[in-house]
């Protein structure tokens, strides 16, 4: 891979609409407009090419929630790539947390749009996925790295991040999204330590995106990367420079681009530029806004949270915080507290002078191997090992809070409702017909369950009343 000349200038294109209905035709027009400022898709895709598109599908939350890449943006890219002569288009991701990549693609509507446009889905962390270990000649941390063969062999790679806040970086963009090209099991042991920034920039020196196209239609402000609050922005951003792309996202959202660690490190490697940027299309100042930033500190969380010096925001603290933010954002943490009391969560080598009192108030969870033995070895706590703990700690957290089964049921219900919504909106006629029955069946089961519960409650009231009458 040839690095960019650091003395060169980057070009970033911006298209915008104030119309808030995201129809396939309107989104296609916006994506085409932005890419045309860079010479059009034909400038990147030649007849016979294989194109790999990498969206941000870190969780099953919707594009409308400000968390994941809009399927319509990916659909537009598939359409344009095929029109330029691509013979094969792959939509590829390695979903974070404990979710199945292909299921997340189904739930978010990405699968139905890809099917409609004639693309293939690829789980970069799937069973039997072919990988190739490649050398990293200029690696700062890595000498060798296993990467998917489909990524290495693609003629064109399009990085399609969501414009959103992140709790570590000011924003999550093209560089952060690139971490998802690696198997999540590899990321679990490679992300969150002091060398994670260097490690993933090492990977980009081996294989980097040909084109970056940002979904900034509904941006995500607030506590990212999965507890964002949606905000209409109406923009598509396109560039061949991932560093300039991230700087533009930060400027678009009113965040400080100078604090982007990944961009600083990527520029140092010759992967792009942070300041020498020429803009085309809609002026950046005319569409930028002041995004509500992520919370600073931890005192906004309505739980007892004890953090040791060994816990970092890039490691165990950040992995636990992102799940707590999501639970809080969607009201689930409040429900858990109503059922189980006030949780106490200890991360790393912290002290708890009120340990016995906290044990009585609610569930007690301890994370990270560096926690002191008197806490992590106590049989009354739920301990999750690792240093840092893996990113996919949602199941451990829910079990520790005492709502493992309820939590799984809640996740499945959320997945089902989003899946039904997106299939009805984006699916083909056949998929829509297949979709109607499942949500209606689920709603029927929910209604039946509620009716049964109401009958049970009424029966209990009658029985209690009967006992009281007999006693009198």
């Amino acid at each position: 891979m040839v690095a960019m000349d650091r003395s060169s200038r980057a070009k970033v294109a911006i298209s915008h609409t104030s119309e808030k209905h995201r129809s396939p035709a309107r989104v296609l027009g916006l994506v085409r407009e932005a890419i045309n400022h860079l010479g059009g898709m034909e400038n990147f895709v030649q007849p016979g090419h294989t194109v790999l598109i990498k969206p941000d599908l870190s969780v099953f939350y919707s594009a409308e929630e400000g968390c994941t890449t809009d399927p319509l943006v990916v659909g537009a890219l598939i359409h344009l790539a095929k029109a330029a002569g691509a013979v094969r288009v792959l939509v590829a991701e390695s979903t974070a947390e404990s979710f199945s990549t292909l299921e997340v693609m189904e739930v978010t509507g990405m699968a139905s749009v890809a099917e409609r446009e004639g693309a293939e889905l690829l789980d970069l962390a799937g069973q039997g996925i072919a990988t190739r270990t490649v050398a990293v000649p200029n690696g700062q941390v890595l000498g060798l790295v296993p990467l998917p063969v489909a990524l290495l062999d693609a003629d064109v790679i399009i990085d399609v991040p969501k414009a959103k806040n992140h709790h570590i970086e000011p924003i999550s963009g093209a560089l952060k999204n690139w971490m998802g090209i690696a198997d999540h099991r590899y990321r679990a042991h490679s992300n969150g330590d002091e060398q994670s920034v260097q490690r993933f920039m090492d990977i980009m020196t081996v294989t980097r995106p040909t084109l970056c196209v940002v979904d900034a239609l509904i941006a995500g402000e607030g506590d990212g990367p999965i507890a964002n609050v949606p905000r209409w922005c109406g923009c598509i951003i396109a560039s061949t420079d991932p560093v300039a792309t991230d700087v533009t996202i930060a400027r678009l959202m009113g965040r400080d681009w100078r604090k982007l660690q990944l961009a600083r490190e990527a520029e140092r490697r010759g992967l792009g530029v942070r300041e020498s940027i020429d803009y085309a299309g809609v002026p950046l100042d005319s569409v930028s806004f002041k995004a509500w930033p992520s919370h600073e500190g931890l005192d906004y969380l309505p739980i007892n949270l004890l953090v040791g010096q060994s816990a970092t925001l890039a490691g165990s603290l950040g992995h636990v915080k992102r799940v707590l933010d999501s639970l809080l954002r969607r009201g689930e943490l409040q429900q858990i507290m109503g059922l189980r009391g006030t949780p106490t969560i200890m991360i790393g080598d912290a002290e708890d002078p009120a340990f016995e009192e906290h044990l009585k108030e609610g569930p007690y969870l301890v994370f990270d191997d560096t926690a002191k033995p008197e806490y992590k070895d106590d049989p009354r706590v739920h301990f999750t090992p690792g240093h840092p703990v893996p990113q996919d700690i949602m199941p451990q957290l829910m079990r520790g809070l005492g709502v493992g089964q309820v939590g799984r049921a809640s996740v499945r219900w959320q997945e089902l409702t989003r899946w039904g919504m997106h299939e009805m909106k984006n699916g083909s006629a056949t998929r829509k017909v297949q979709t109607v029955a499942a949500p209606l069946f689920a709603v029927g089961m929910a209604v039946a369950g509620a009716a049964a519960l109401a009958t049970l409650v009424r029966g209990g009231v009658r029985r209690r009343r009967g006992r009281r009458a007999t006693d009198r």
Side-chain angles (χ1 to χ4, degrees):
M1 187 206 74
V2 179
M4 288 187 63
D5 179 357
R6 292 181 61 182
S7 65
S8 66
R9 300 186 66 84
K11 186 175 183 179
V12 176
I14 304 173
S15 60
H16 174 260
T17 180
S18 58
E19 297 293 334
K20 297 183 180 180
H21 176 63
R22 299 169 358 268
S23 68
R26 182 168 288 149
V27 174
L28 174 61
L30 285 168
V31 173
R32 179 188 283 120
E33 179 185 340
I35 296 176
N36 279 351
H37 286 294
L38 305 178
M41 187 63 84
E42 296 78 8
N43 195 37
F44 305 99
V45 178
Q46 304 300 314
H49 272 176
T50 293
V51 176
L52 185 143
I53 299 174
K54 167 62 176 73
D56 176 358
L57 296 176
S58 52
V59 288
F60 63 84
Y61 301 140
S62 305
E64 290 82 0
E65 297 172 79
C67 292
T68 51
T69 302
D70 196 320
L72 295 182
V73 174
V74 172
L77 290 167
I78 298 168
H79 179 90
L80 294 172
K82 284 185 166 288
V87 295
R88 189 183 186 199
V89 180
L90 304 171
V91 179
E93 174 64 300
S94 173
T95 296
E97 308 298 339
S98 53
F99 305 114
S100 158
T101 300
L102 296 180
E103 285 183 5
V104 168
M105 289 182 172
E106 290 278 353
V107 169
T108 58
M110 192 65 72
S112 55
V113 169
E115 177 188 86
R116 187 180 68 208
E117 297 294 339
E120 303 169 47
L121 304 177
L122 178 64
D123 179 359
L124 294 173
Q127 290 273 345
I129 186 75
T131 62
R132 184 186 305 149
T133 299
V134 296
V136 187
N138 299 312
Q140 303 291 304
V141 176
L142 299 176
L144 299 169
V145 63
L147 293 172
V149 170
L151 178 81
L152 295 170
D153 289 351
D155 299 294
V156 175
I157 304 170
I158 306 179
D159 186 352
V160 197
K162 184 76 163 181
K164 61 182 181 179
N165 282 352
H166 197 280
H167 67 261
I168 300 175
E169 297 262 273
I171 58 94
S172 179
L175 296 170
K176 194 73 174 175
N177 192 44
W178 205 242
M179 293 183 178
I181 65 167
D183 185 319
H184 67 81
R185 289 160 295 198
Y186 174 82
R187 294 201 309 273
H189 298 287
S190 304
N191 190 18
D193 61 21
E194 295 178 354
Q195 296 180 324
S196 62
V197 170
Q198 290 84 359
R199 181 177 289 111
F200 284 101
M201 290 307 94
D202 276 356
I203 292 175
M204 192 173 272
T205 65
V206 177
T207 177
R208 58 168 289 171
T210 314
L211 176 65
C212 303
V213 178
V214 182
D215 167 22
L217 297 173
I218 299 176
E221 55 186 357
D223 293 301
I226 62 173
N228 301 90
V229 175
R231 173 162 179 163
W232 174 257
C233 180
C235 289
I236 296 293
I237 299 168
S239 180
T240 59
D241 183 328
V243 178
T245 297
D246 282 8
V247 168
T248 302
I249 296 171
R251 292 183 60 192
L252 176 72
M253 300 179 66
R255 309 307 306 278
D256 189 348
W257 60 268
R258 291 163 296 189
K259 294 182 178 179
L260 296 173
Q261 299 177 66
L262 287 168
R264 183 166 53 249
E265 180 65 19
E267 183 182 54
R268 190 176 72 82
R269 306 293 188 88
L271 295 170
V273 296
R274 292 187 296 163
E275 297 186 66
S276 302
I277 304 173
D278 296 321
Y279 286 99
V282 176
L284 178 59
D285 291 345
S286 70
V287 290
S288 62
F289 62 97
K290 187 68 175 176
W292 170 49
S294 301
H295 281 100
E296 293 188 7
L298 301 167
D299 57 354
Y300 67 96
L301 290 166
I303 63 173
N304 300 315
L305 189 59
L306 306 166
V307 180
Q309 292 185 348
S310 62
T312 65
L313 198 57
S316 292
L317 173 57
H319 297 171
V320 175
K321 180 182 181 296
R322 60 187 285 171
V323 178
L324 292 174
D325 281 341
S326 181
L327 294 175
L328 181 66
R329 164 81 172 83
R330 290 164 178 83
E332 296 170 280
L333 184 58
Q334 297 89 318
Q335 295 173 12
I336 291 169
M337 291 172 65
L339 291 170
R340 302 287 296 163
T342 302
T344 297
I345 294 181
M346 175 182 287
I347 307 173
D349 55 345
E351 290 282 359
D352 186 3
F355 182 59
E356 293 297 332
E357 182 179 346
H358 287 155
L359 284 168
K360 297 173 184 176
E361 293 175 348
Y364 204 115
L365 291 77
V366 177
F367 292 91
D368 202 285
D369 290 338
T370 59
K372 297 182 177 180
E374 59 263 37
Y375 301 119
K376 68 180 180 181
D377 295 340
D378 192 297
R380 296 169 293 177
V381 310
H382 182 88
F383 173 61
T384 299
H387 180 66
V389 294
Q391 286 187 320
D392 56 345
I393 51 92
M394 173 74 86
Q396 288 287 344
L397 187 66
M398 298 302 278
R399 279 196 292 271
L401 292 171
V403 291
Q405 292 183 344
V406 174
R408 283 191 293 274
S410 174
V411 168
R412 296 306 295 174
W413 173 250
Q414 291 181 55
E415 289 178 331
L416 180 62
T417 55
R418 288 172 173 84
W419 171 73
M421 175 182 70
H422 294 129
E423 287 297 298
M424 292 302 295
K425 176 183 177 183
N426 300 317
S428 62
T430 303
R431 292 179 72 105
K432 288 178 180 179
V433 169
Q434 293 173 342
T435 298
V436 171
L440 289 180
F441 173 75
V443 170
M445 291 297 289
V447 171
L453 178 60
T455 301
L456 180 62
V457 170
R458 285 196 298 270
V461 169
R462 283 196 295 269
R463 285 192 294 273
R464 288 196 296 274
R465 285 176 178 169
R467 284 194 294 272
R468 287 197 295 271
T470 304
D471 292 341
R472 286 197 299 269

